[in-house]
Amino acid sequence: MNCPAEPPILLDLAPKPTPLNDALAALGVEVRRSLPAPGELPAGAVAGCMMGFYDYVSRPWRAWKLKRVLGPGVPVIAWNRDAPGYLNKRPWRLALASRLEGLDIYATHAITDDWRFGKEVALLHNGANIAAYNLAGRSLESLRDEGNYRYDVTFFGAMNADRYKEYLPRERFFGALGQALESRGINYRFIDTSRTPMSVAEQVELVQTSRININYGAGCEYGAPMGYGLPERCFGIPACGGFLLSDYRLHAADAFAADEWADYTDLEQALQRIDYYLGNFAEARAIAERAYRRVLACHSYRHRAEELLALLADWRRRHGA
């Protein structure tokens, strides 16, 4: 997709810039972090206005104020990369924000329930920052050499439940998994990054020296019945050439083909899959290489920026803006 010449400006009023900002800039879009002064921009110059999703939930009336300031031709959109983390908000706030549907477009990486929050709902996955998470000078061919691996199973991520209750399920899972792997004589390493921070280079090295990279849970899913959206690691690990074994994710089928994805539903099945893929290394590498190519073809943040622009352009076309 080519970035449209008009309109070239996107307003991003979220408290923190999204990972899309650099990708949008690379596509030729000017991303502004504040509202323009009255009369500063010609009519039609703004493609859309992004606001923080939790800012919308806390103050849904702000979306209506933005639409009054920007005019009817500028869609207001929020991207929820933390679903279903909003479930810990006050129920009346969620009900009000959903009932008002103040957003023109509610984009989310996990469509999980009946909460809408916007007049239109769109699935917008997380992605891979391939400038940071990539082969790092290695080749897919070198990753086929089983002698280059130091670990059988690894995980890195926050799991300090003493400080953050939302990581309790993850802490328990990896505690039980570690005991089971030890009893099988399987080499593993689990790193709690809330206690032991890792640089990007260290993360990439661990991914590329691990036969199996596990994904389990996310802090935002605390109290939710199951996982839906794909955390960034589900794209970043394949981008590094690593083999990902993930807990079940409903939206995995929207992002990867069946032969590009490996998952499990519980601890027992995780152990079964670990045993299987350690015994079938070539098959695991074939899945990893297909996933790598899928991420590069479809799941970088440049792709997400293109999808966002397409959403906004389609909205403007349908609303005669």
Side-chain angles (χ1 to χ4, degrees):
M1 167 183 166
N2 294 321
C3 178
E6 292 290 345
I9 296 171
L10 181 75
L11 304 179
D12 180 8
L13 306 183
K16 295 181 180 179
T18 74
L20 298 181
N21 286 18
D22 289 342
L24 287 163
L27 290 170
V29 177
E30 179 185 348
V31 180
R32 295 197 177 193
R33 298 279 293 148
S34 60
L35 281 172
E40 179 183 350
L41 298 174
V46 178
C49 178
M50 296 189 72
M51 63 181 300
F53 171 69
Y54 287 106
D55 188 26
Y56 171 71
V57 170
S58 299
R59 298 181 293 173
W61 52 86
R62 190 177 179 220
W64 298 97
K65 289 182 178 179
L66 284 173
K67 284 191 276 193
R68 282 205 307 270
V69 171
L70 297 170
V74 180
V76 175
I77 182 172
W79 183 28
N80 184 2
R81 304 173 62 226
D82 199 34
Y86 53 79
L87 292 177
N88 63 8
K89 301 298 180 185
R90 295 182 184 276
W92 70 267
R93 285 193 179 278
L94 294 177
L96 177 63
S98 181
R99 190 176 299 117
L100 287 177
E101 293 187 354
L103 299 168
D104 293 303
I105 304 173
Y106 169 53
T108 174
H109 85 125
I111 299 175
T112 61
D113 47 40
D114 294 331
W115 300 108
R116 288 185 56 85
F117 303 112
K119 297 178 178 64
E120 300 177 14
V121 179
L123 179 63
L124 189 64
H125 294 290
N126 283 302
N129 177 5
I130 57 175
Y133 296 95
N134 51 59
L135 292 179
R138 302 196 186 198
S139 65
L140 293 177
E141 290 75 13
S142 71
L143 294 174
R144 296 173 193 161
D145 184 353
E146 199 166 1
N148 289 333
Y149 292 84
R150 295 203 302 268
Y151 307 103
D152 292 326
V153 181
T154 61
F155 171 82
F156 60 89
M159 48 182 169
N160 183 354
D162 291 337
R163 187 173 180 183
Y164 305 104
K165 67 178 181 179
E166 58 266 33
Y167 292 119
L168 183 59
R170 179 182 280 176
E171 187 176 76
R172 288 174 173 170
F173 175 84
F174 283 106
L177 180 61
Q179 290 181 354
L181 295 178
E182 276 189 37
S183 70
R184 286 166 161 77
I186 294 174
N187 178 18
Y188 71 93
R189 187 181 183 195
F190 302 151
I191 300 174
D192 177 7
T193 55
S194 59
R195 293 184 172 97
T196 308
M198 298 177 68
S199 68
V200 170
E202 290 171 333
Q203 294 173 24
V204 173
E205 182 183 13
L206 186 64
V207 167
Q208 294 180 335
T209 55
S210 308
R211 293 174 179 85
I212 298 175
N213 295 269
I214 295 283
N215 175 57
Y216 179 83
C220 65
E221 294 168 353
Y222 183 74
M226 63 179 294
Y228 293 82
L230 279 66
E232 282 186 309
R233 73 175 66 244
C234 291
F235 302 105
I237 287 171
C240 300
F243 172 68
L244 173 72
L245 179 61
S246 176
D247 56 346
Y248 176 76
R249 300 266 135 194
L250 182 68
H251 287 311
D254 298 308
F256 293 95
D259 63 353
E260 300 165 350
W261 180 260
D263 61 17
Y264 60 90
T265 56
D266 54 25
L267 178 62
E268 181 180 354
Q269 191 176 61
L271 290 166
Q272 292 172 356
R273 296 288 166 85
I274 287 169
D275 287 339
Y276 177 81
Y277 286 115
L278 288 179
N280 293 270
F281 178 76
E283 183 178 343
R285 287 310 310 158
I287 294 171
E289 291 187 18
R290 288 191 290 266
Y292 167 82
R293 294 188 178 94
R294 174 68 66 180
V295 169
L296 263 62
C298 303
H299 298 311
S300 72
Y301 278 115
R302 181 185 179 96
H303 293 107
R304 298 294 174 263
E306 292 173 342
E307 291 170 32
L308 173 65
L309 292 176
L311 282 173
L312 297 174
D314 180 64
W315 187 95
R316 291 170 61 86
R317 177 186 58 77
R318 288 185 287 106
H319 290 81

